[in-house]
Amino acid sequence: MGDAHRIETRERLRERMGHPSEFVAGKVDDFVNDFAREFIAASPFLVLSTASADGRQDASPKGDAPGFVAVEDEKTLIIPDRKGNKLLYGLENILENPHVGVLFLVPGTEETLRVNGCAELTEDPEVLARLAARGQDALLAIRVGVDECFFHCAKAFRRSSLWKPASWSPIRVSFGAQFASKIGRGADAELIDKVDAGIEQNYRDEL
């Protein structure tokens, strides 16, 4: 069934949503300025967005100690990649389509930093050693050439109350329960506990 209210043109989109002010449009730089550099140095967490050549999308969280992303120069960021689940969706996407988006967060800060550009993968030993953490070099690095860099306002964080502990309602994600359900053993508590314990051990071993 079609949507009679579907928006299909930029003109209609702008008619509905409006245009950015001169101030907003002017905040977008094509380099990492000093304010952005300071924010990246304080950020322990980011989300890397990629898409394959045929449009298959992925958004991957990455985190480490504040400043884990290196600002090589005002046009270049280097993001370490470490041990993970080995699905490699985002990394494979970069090989097919270098265009990426990066969203940096700093806990307790309502503004975020957005970076758009083109990425490549490197296994340069000197770079991987420079990005070492907990006594281990990075497995590889994602070098991002910066096309756009700008701060995003706090509205989304204020609407969501993301940094207000009183609003938090954590849920327990059980990979064991999900796995057991997929193989028809959803009531097998022993299997669920075993898988969850293995995941927790993996967290401890591979940080």
Side-chain angles (χ1 to χ4, degrees):
M1 182 179 296
D3 181 356
H5 303 282
R6 179 179 175 181
I7 294 175
E8 297 182 301
T9 66
R10 291 187 178 186
E11 290 76 17
R12 178 57 189 146
L13 176 63
R14 286 298 180 182
E15 183 180 345
R16 179 69 178 180
M17 302 301 293
H19 293 267
S21 67
E22 183 178 354
F23 168 77
V24 171
K27 73 178 182 177
V28 180
D29 288 322
D30 62 358
F31 64 97
V32 178
N33 62 31
D34 290 342
F35 301 102
R37 185 184 291 264
E38 180 182 14
F39 196 92
I40 293 170
S43 174
F45 185 84
L46 62 83
V47 177
L48 174 69
S49 297
T50 62
S52 65
D54 61 0
R56 182 175 59 83
Q57 301 156 342
D58 183 69
S60 177
K62 298 187 181 299
D64 217 311
F68 74 102
V69 173
V71 181
E72 186 87 328
D73 54 51
E74 65 178 14
K75 293 289 290 184
T76 313
L77 304 179
I78 304 182
I79 304 170
D81 206 83
R82 311 194 192 280
K83 294 178 180 179
N85 58 25
K86 299 179 176 63
L87 288 175
L88 307 184
Y89 289 155
L91 301 180
E92 290 181 341
N93 283 350
I94 289 171
L95 295 177
E96 297 183 15
N97 174 7
H99 297 283
V100 301
V102 187
L103 181 70
F104 288 95
L105 287 80
V106 174
T109 299
E110 294 176 314
E111 290 75 23
T112 54
L113 180 69
R114 294 169 60 177
V115 175
N116 298 315
C118 288
E120 62 183 21
L121 308 181
T122 181
E123 53 182 349
D124 182 333
E126 293 185 5
V127 172
L128 303 186
R130 183 150 54 92
L131 297 173
R134 293 167 296 281
Q136 294 185 329
D137 294 353
L139 289 180
L140 60 76
I142 304 163
R143 182 181 287 113
V144 179
V146 177
D147 293 329
E148 294 181 318
C149 182
F150 59 98
F151 284 95
H152 194 101
C153 74
K155 290 178 182 177
F157 280 73
R158 294 194 176 185
R159 290 167 180 158
S160 66
S161 299
L162 188 65
W163 298 133
K164 295 181 179 178
S167 73
W168 295 351
S169 183
I171 63 173
R172 178 176 181 265
V173 176
S174 170
F175 289 105
Q178 294 176 54
F179 175 73
S181 176
K182 285 181 181 292
I183 64 173
R185 294 173 58 183
D188 191 334
E190 183 178 353
L191 173 63
I192 293 171
D193 289 344
K194 180 179 180 180
V195 173
D196 283 341
I199 292 292
E200 185 60 36
Q201 185 63 49
N202 179 266
Y203 287 162
R204 292 192 292 268
D205 292 344
E206 296 200 356
L207 280 179

